[in-house]
Amino acid sequence: MSGIPKIILATPPETAAAVTHSGIAAHMSYRIGHGFRLYRSQRASDIRGGFMVLDTSGFTGGGPMASLIADIIGECGKRAFTGIVINAGSYPGSPSQISLSMALAKEALTHSLEYFVPEDLAETGDHTIVRISAAISGGTLTRRLVDAIKKYGTNRLAVEIERVMMDFSLPALSGTGRELSNNEFRALIDRHNPKSFFSPELMVNYFTYHDNHSTHFVLHDNAETLQRKLKSVSDMGSTYAFLFYPRIADIFGEIFTDSNP
């Protein structure tokens, strides 16, 4: 094993206390709104330490940026945050997002803050940490990690390990399926009682079922497959691994056992 990655748990403010002892809390409590302003959730005053998750999807540019950047950096100091995680929404590579990220990357470096961005913003700073997804529907996860490490290096790579629960109607021409909620997935299991298999290439479980004269293919994670993904990230030497806490709340204790890498 090359080294244990830092586990970062993205969490809304109401669940932050649940992850305190299992990783770094990335607080989903901030967004940029109208008027170049930083907005906080009502419970943001209760949090301290970990990372700021900043929703920049509402940022459209076209106005002064210095005071906004100062507010973001100031909030990090006030809350003792040690990093900033950018959530740029559907258009991370837009000119306004690139401009904002370049400014934030510079200030984050000046203030010794770790700075995480989606792949489209990887080149907005020399020290950006690039988030890639471990959720794939083709190829292999190992190849995905190898290619990303070649491009960014282990110290600049953060792997987002989503809990996959996705239903594909066959033939799946688009390569994407319908995301299932926990309740929908459990109802599907109760209705069809399918037998699951493990895909070592995707590092996820799968099964098929028939419904209304059509065939479906379902990819799904459990605690064991998520542990396998974490181990793969660890073995490859990647420095950071992200998990979204609300999605794994029901199996959280199973993932973070003494056997977890």
Side-chain angles (χ1 to χ4, degrees):
M1 187 178 296
S2 299
I4 299 173
K6 295 180 182 178
I7 305 298
I8 303 166
L9 293 154
T11 175
E14 63 271 16
T15 60
V19 307
T20 302
H21 302 294
S22 300
I24 302 169
H27 302 284
M28 302 171 65
S29 302
Y30 296 88
R31 66 180 177 87
I32 297 175
H34 295 296
F36 287 79
R37 292 183 58 193
L38 176 66
Y39 288 82
R40 310 162 184 82
S41 72
Q42 291 184 343
R43 299 190 63 174
S45 59
D46 299 329
I47 57 180
R48 185 173 178 82
F51 295 161
M52 169 194 284
V53 178
L54 180 60
D55 181 352
T56 67
S57 60
F59 181 79
T60 57
M65 197 183 297
S67 61
L68 172 62
I69 299 297
D71 283 348
I72 294 168
I73 299 300
E75 183 73 5
C76 288
K78 183 178 180 180
R79 303 293 170 202
F81 294 147
T82 57
I84 300 171
V85 182
I86 297 300
N87 176 10
S90 301
Y91 303 101
S94 68
S96 59
Q97 295 288 340
I98 291 172
S99 177
L100 175 64
S101 186
M102 289 178 67
L104 272 174
K106 180 179 178 180
E107 289 301 312
L109 181 60
T110 299
H111 291 84
S112 300
L113 295 168
E114 294 181 290
Y115 185 64
F116 298 83
V117 297
E119 251 188 302
D120 283 354
L121 298 176
E123 304 307 320
T124 55
D126 293 337
H127 295 82
T128 57
I129 302 168
V130 184
R131 304 194 324 269
I132 70 161
S133 174
I136 57 174
S137 57
T140 70
L141 179 56
T142 298
R143 172 49 57 187
R144 169 73 165 142
L145 294 177
V146 167
D147 290 345
I149 288 171
K150 285 181 179 178
K151 190 171 183 178
Y152 303 114
T154 55
N155 291 333
R156 287 192 63 205
L157 183 64
V159 183
E160 294 183 338
I161 302 178
E162 301 106 285
R163 183 184 184 180
V164 176
M165 285 188 288
M166 189 162 287
D167 187 329
F168 298 81
S169 294
L170 299 180
L173 301 178
S174 67
T176 59
R178 183 176 69 89
E179 188 171 330
L180 301 170
S181 68
N182 287 2
N183 289 338
E184 287 176 321
F185 178 74
R186 285 193 292 268
L188 198 62
I189 295 295
D190 291 341
R191 184 162 63 250
H192 296 281
N193 192 28
K195 182 177 181 180
S196 288
F197 302 90
F198 177 71
S199 167
E201 294 81 15
L202 305 180
M203 291 189 187
V204 69
N205 292 329
Y206 66 94
F207 63 80
T208 60
Y209 73 93
H210 300 279
D211 190 20
N212 296 326
H213 308 291
S214 63
T215 301
H216 294 253
F217 177 77
V218 176
L219 295 176
H220 64 101
D221 278 312
N222 58 16
E224 183 179 356
T225 60
L226 292 174
Q227 284 184 331
R228 285 175 182 257
K229 291 177 184 179
L230 284 168
K231 185 178 185 303
S232 181
V233 170
S234 177
D235 288 347
M236 297 296 290
S238 300
T239 306
Y240 309 90
F242 272 86
L243 290 153
F244 179 53
Y245 174 74
R247 188 68 161 162
I248 62 170
D250 60 319
I251 56 173
F252 187 70
E254 298 176 58
I255 299 170
F256 292 96
T257 64
D258 292 338
S259 62
N260 189 40

